[in-house]
Amino acid sequence: MIRERIYKELLFLDGGMGTLLQEKGLNPGELPETWNLKNKEAVISIHRQYYEAGSDIVLTNTFGANALKFRDSEYRLQDIIQAAVENAKEARTLAGVDDGRHYIGLDMGPTGKLLKPMGYLGFEEAYEAFAEVVRCGVKAGADLIHIETMSDTYETKAAVLAAKEESDLPVFATLIFDEKGKLLTGGDVPSVVALLEGLGVDALGINCGLGPKQMMPILCEMRRWASVPIIVKPNAGLPKQKDGHTYYDVTPEEFADCMEKMVEEGACIIGGCCGTTPEHIRMMTNVCREKAIHVPEKKTDTIVSSYGQAAVLGDMPLIIGERINPTGKKRFKQALKEKDIDYILKEGIRQQEQGAHILDVNVGLPDIDEPAMMEEVITELQGITSLPLQIDTVDAKAMERAMRIYNGKPMVNSVSGKQESMDMVFPLVKKYGGVVIGLALDEGGIPETAEGRVEIAGKIIKEAEKYGIERKDIIIDVLTMTISSEPEGARIVLEALEKVRRRYGVKTVLGVSNISFGLPYRPAVNSTFYALAMQKGLTAGIINPGSEEMMKVYRSYLALMNFDKNCEAYIRAYADQEEKGKEKTGAKEEMTLGYAIQKGLKEEAGHLAKACLGEAEPLDIINQHLIPALDYVGKGFEKGTIFLPQLLMSADAAKEAFAVIKEALEESGRQEEKKEKVILATVKGDIHDIGKNIVKVLLENYGFDVIDLGKDVDPKRIVETAIKEQVCLVGLSALMTTTVVSMEETIRLLREEKPDCKVMVGGAVLNEEYADMIGADFYGKDAMQSVYYAQRVLKEQG
């Protein structure tokens, strides 16, 4: 029933939970979820107030209830969740709204861990943590699953898959964006929407981190891309402090006015996050109750995405890099057999620099474990490039494994018109989301005529519709045939290409270089055919972006068709080209240590560091190669051109190089320069250590000795460590509103017992103004800002 209502009427969620529990006596560091058992009257009371305030959906007090958080707790996870749902049910009855039109949402927040390759938590481990919560919630009687406050698309995917595979309940998912419309791990709005709609969520949106006014631009961007109802749950503005108490600066009246505008802009399900109260929700429902909703219209954009960016396949043709493929590549085959992953990663980096928009990934060889290799290559590639990937395999296990662990909405190559192929591939595309390439061949082979290929394309499209796969998620390949054996091959392909676009309105793709097999000087034929195909409506060409003949045609085509405004890209590529000189391809001819670190090539960084030791002093290598490379990546991260996974992979590469240099110093009997100590801790009551761990990695790479006290750290322990180790800088992290009081208490004790110690703070619930109010010396809006502040403190203190 709720699935139907979200498309017809405005629905209201509840508001904040943690701050209200604090008002009822929740102590700093106490787990809010335990109150479901030991102080259930307080939880029931809050739920009841929200139902009475007009909430159609109340979320259970289970935001942090997962096996990772409750592993060492005296409380069993299943008991916590069972009690949480029962409390919401009792509140619904007491409020007099047990009418089948008021719902209980099983609330699932983040694990607080970074997933591999950025962190140490495996994808399937995260999946199982969420799956256990879902199983318990379904058994207890929840009406829907609400995943919220996610800052990483990969963790979000694990949670959504758990919700979809372990239940048939409606699934809502909201993520936490910054004011630039970015997630912590770099995802933007279109990439998030593509992923979540591909996975089949019933509604998606934004929550936490921002007030309603700051969320408005993100809502507008989300409406541009989304086809499902949009959820908006802002904070009640920014946190402030008065007389030792935290409050938020948006009043219920102001909140209601803002939410009315949100509905007018396309919000379909609205509620509140941190700082909102039953009065905020009451005012909001009173103002908005009679307003009509504007469900986003069905979009037809064909989108593939990674964790960090989306590639929209439209009128302007895109490039799919073909080089991560063993066909005809002896060295690549050797790399696969020897598991030389760095070689494969370098191929990916090279193609990105040469202009590819999507990378084809094919690792199929008869004598290797293709599913395992595909999983490893996909995972490692997504650590060093933000380009979307094309999963290219005929192995069903390899395809499913790759689609499952892929962080984004992939392109899948491929399905054919053979019934066996469609029966295998379409269920995977429906389950995991993806844009699938349909090959114009069936049990009868490849038709000799253009019309025959067009008919098979129609057959594929019609079969896909049975699975609920829309045309926007199908790209047709009418199959390039070599003209050396098929003299009419090019003409037939071009005719079929144009007919498919006109008849079915779908996008198209071709493996362009197939046209010239068996001919001398193949680039001439390839580039000419490429130009003709683009003119006929080719959406994406699978080509070698390192071929300057192909890139000249591509850049020229974009300029001629005005896809390249003012010919800017063309000019950048060729402005300084000498008449008889060699064109630039963007490829790195020589691998340097700094470049390996910038690109996150760990093994390569270690090898190059050893090579440098024969030519330079260890400390010179650090200062002349490692630090400049890290600075380059850090500045790119600040500008938004480099994303968190790349930042952390670069840090890992630097760590690999530094380990080699450190070993050389030890062998020579020399000592490293003394490192300045910094304490890092996630404050008492908070187990979310993503931010802290990111800062730790970067500080260590910039030469600091990090004393990591972990998570849920008592203020006294932090102070005692600072005194004992004579530390001049402490970094504190918090994600939850309920634990900011622990941060304030820690700062107060440090001021009393070690006044010369500086304190920097960070976390999703903080901002600069609030950091000033609780006495912090510095607020780090991101990890690099914290590193720069640490360097400044070190310099100031000599």
Side-chain angles (χ1 to χ4, degrees), residues 232-293:
V232 180
K233 288 180 54 182
N235 291 345
L238 301 174
K240 296 181 181 295
Q241 196 179 62
K242 184 177 181 180
D243 300 327
H245 295 284
T246 299
Y247 73 97
Y248 285 75
D249 62 0
V250 172
T251 66
E253 293 80 7
E254 292 170 330
F255 187 81
D257 289 342
C258 289
M259 296 310 290
E260 182 179 23
K261 294 181 177 64
M262 291 282 193
V263 176
E264 292 168 356
E265 286 296 331
C268 304
I269 305 167
I270 57 175
C273 205
C274 298
T276 56
T277 66
E279 190 57 30
H280 285 83
I281 301 304
R282 188 184 310 281
M283 292 294 296
M284 178 186 75
T285 57
N286 288 342
V287 169
C288 300
R289 178 64 72 183
E290 301 303 320
K291 295 194 73 67
I293 62 168

Side-chain angles (χ1 to χ4, degrees), residues 42 62 153 187 315 317 319 323 355 416 428 439 458 465 473 513 516 539 542 634 641 658 742 746 750-751:
T62 53
T153 52
D315 292 334
I319 295 171
R323 302 297 295 172
S416 73
L428 299 179
L439 305 182
E465 288 174 354
D473 289 329
S513 61
S516 64
T539 306
I542 304 175
T641 58
F658 185 77
S742 296
T746 303
L750 281 168
R751 295 287 180 253

Side-chain angles (χ1 to χ4, degrees), residues 2 128 247 281 350 360 364 389 401 461 471 532 614 628 648 676 701 727 772 782:
I2 191 171
E128 186 50 44
Y247 73 97
I281 301 304
R350 187 177 295 114
D360 180 75
L389 304 180
R401 191 60 201 149
I461 293 167
R471 292 191 182 193
L532 292 170
L648 295 180
E676 293 298 327
N701 277 280
V727 174
D772 291 340
D782 60 48

